[in-house]
Amino acid sequence: MSEGKLSTNHLLGIKYITTADIELIFDTAAKFKDVINRPIKKVPSLRDITIANLFFENSTRTKLSFELAEKRLSADVINFSSSGSSVKKGETLLDTVNNILSMKVDMVVMRHPAPGAHYFLSQHIDAQIVNAGDGTHEHPTQALLDAYSMKEKLGTLRGKKICIFGDILHSRVALSNIYCLKKMGAKIRVCGPPTLIPKHIGSLGVEVSYDVDDSLRWCDAANVLRIQLERQDIKYIPSLREYSMYYGINKQKLDNLDKQITILHPGPINRGIELSSDVADSEHSLILQQVENGVAVRMAVLFLLANLRGDRAA
Ligand code: NCD
């Protein structure tokens, strides 16, 4: 398939990969997108690879998307989710993972509530690690599929204006999007209530705005994020009703613009809170394309990481 090589043996976060890595992932994903649209959607590329999907936090899309990507590449797949496991009996992360690895696993795809859990593991185990979300820190494959979908729609990311709306403070998608889109040359703004925007986020080279109408006028694409109520131990907003009035993106706000903007959302959507249904389901929404592209992008990541393994047959 692709000639290039990634600069890193793990995908721990977008912070640790290069622009050339992202371009290589996109080129490879485009080829896999063709594959998954053929009548026979499966290729033998990872036939000799065993992948463990370890989910210590809830997931629907990401888990299914990784599993499908792995199966489309003919990998052997085992799945683990922490609910109902020995984690509840007090086992450490390293013990859980080492036990799974003694079953001769080559790659670990993991979601974990602790920021940095993947980095920690990468220092202690031999398997290649893919971060499927670490707490509020990074979610690299989501950012790659978001950026891939925007590039597909807008033609290029260089110079494009992308605004990330909503709960920036608790979102790992926000941070990974910022790293990824900046590396691809986009201009980035974040917009939400002051309590949900980290104080020093400007140091990442993004604009900050609290004005939704102005931000909608400014941007070419809007990535709308979910209010992460499960991560909020104090009240950051007076009420969801007020949030939706001021910060929710709806048709009325978009109709006031003199242009069309592209709408993305990583899911799951709180319909009627951060995004109204008429916008989520409109022709300008990329939400379902994001899900389709997610499989191709994850196939590309797994394939390119597997290509770095010295023990692979040619
Ligand atoms: C995101 C996540 O889990 O970080 N969802 C996803 O991976 N599709 C965003 C979210 O939960 O809001």
Side-chain angles (χ1 to χ4, degrees):
M1 167 101 30
S2 188
E3 297 306 316
K5 280 201 186 306
L6 291 178
S7 68
T8 162
N9 196 35
H10 307 280
L11 181 61
L12 302 177
I14 303 287
K15 186 175 183 178
Y16 310 106
I17 64 174
T18 64
T19 304
D21 289 331
I22 299 172
E23 278 162 359
L24 176 61
I25 293 168
F26 284 4
D27 289 348
T28 313
K31 293 173 190 151
F32 281 128
K33 192 166 173 181
D34 284 347
V35 169
I36 58 179
N37 279 298
R38 287 184 204 150
I40 296 170
K41 302 175 176 59
K42 206 162 165 161
V43 285
S45 316
L46 296 198
R47 211 169 36 193
D48 50 344
I49 298 283
T50 304
I51 305 180
N53 298 315
L54 312 184
F55 279 75
F56 295 86
E57 223 188 48
N58 294 345
S59 174
T60 310
R61 253 158 301 268
T62 305
K63 192 159 171 238
L64 287 176
S65 178
F66 267 112
E67 194 174 338
L68 196 58
E70 292 153 5
K71 290 183 168 162
R72 297 273 191 253
L73 292 166
S74 308
D76 290 320
V77 179
I78 54 173
N79 291 306
F80 164 91
S81 91
S82 59
S83 56
S85 74
S86 290
V87 173
K88 297 275 179 268
K89 301 180 190 168
E91 189 169 60
T92 66
L93 173 62
L94 195 52
D95 278 343
T96 305
V97 175
N98 267 329
N99 274 278
I100 293 166
L101 291 184
S102 24
M103 302 177 205
K104 304 278 175 272
V105 166
D106 304 296
M107 276 191 210
V108 170
V109 172
M110 183 169 84
R111 171 167 287 191
H112 197 280
H118 302 75
Y119 176 78
F120 166 78
L121 270 193
S122 72
Q123 303 297 299
H124 290 92
I125 65 172
D126 285 335
Q128 292 175 291
I129 298 168
V130 180
N131 182 355
D134 59 334
T136 56
H137 181 218
E138 276 226 43
H139 191 352
T141 56
Q142 182 69 45
L144 288 165
L145 77 89
D146 290 347
Y148 182 90
S149 306
M150 288 184 226
K151 182 166 181 257
E152 205 174 44
K153 173 82 181 184
L154 303 173
T156 177
L157 291 171
R158 186 148 300 280
K160 294 293 178 202
K161 294 177 180 161
I162 317 288
C163 187
I164 307 170
F165 287 91
D167 185 355
I168 314 295
L169 185 65
H170 299 100
S171 170
R172 50 190 170 214
V173 177
L175 187 60
S176 289
N177 258 259
I178 291 170
Y179 287 139
C180 188
L181 294 167
K182 276 203 78 74
K183 286 183 190 203
M184 296 304 285
K187 298 194 173 81
I188 305 157
R189 183 188 276 209
V190 293
C191 176
T195 48
L196 290 177
I197 300 212
K199 281 200 180 62
H200 302 291
I201 197 156
S203 64
L204 294 176
V206 302
E207 283 181 29
V208 176
S209 165
Y210 309 119
D211 183 337
V212 171
D213 293 317
D214 180 65
S215 297
L216 287 172
R217 275 194 299 275
W218 177 83
C219 70
D220 299 304
N223 199 354
V224 186
L225 304 181
R226 184 174 66 90
I227 287 279
Q228 308 247 330
L229 287 173
E230 76 278 19
R231 298 193 199 278
Q232 302 187 9
D233 45 358
I234 58 168
K235 266 194 166 302
Y236 290 84
I237 47 172
S239 71
L240 286 177
R241 197 166 150 266
E242 190 174 312
Y243 180 83
S244 137
M245 257 170 67
Y246 285 101
Y247 289 98
I249 311 281
N250 56 34
K251 189 161 180 311
Q252 199 189 343
K253 287 183 186 148
L254 295 183
D255 283 348
N256 287 335
L257 307 174
D258 52 11
K259 61 174 186 181
Q260 296 294 352
I261 62 171
T262 298
I263 305 288
L264 297 97
H265 191 301
I269 309 172
N270 288 314
R271 282 180 183 259
I273 299 177
E274 69 266 1
L275 197 60
S276 66
S277 282
D278 45 14
V279 176
D281 303 330
S282 76
E283 56 180 313
H284 305 293
S285 155
L286 293 187
I287 294 171
L288 293 178
Q289 283 94 312
Q290 286 174 268
V291 178
E292 179 183 352
N293 289 334
V295 178
V297 164
R298 290 181 173 114
M299 285 173 82
V301 167
L302 297 167
F303 171 80
L304 291 166
L305 285 175
N307 267 355
L308 298 173
R309 298 178 62 84
D311 56 356
R312 270 176 70 74

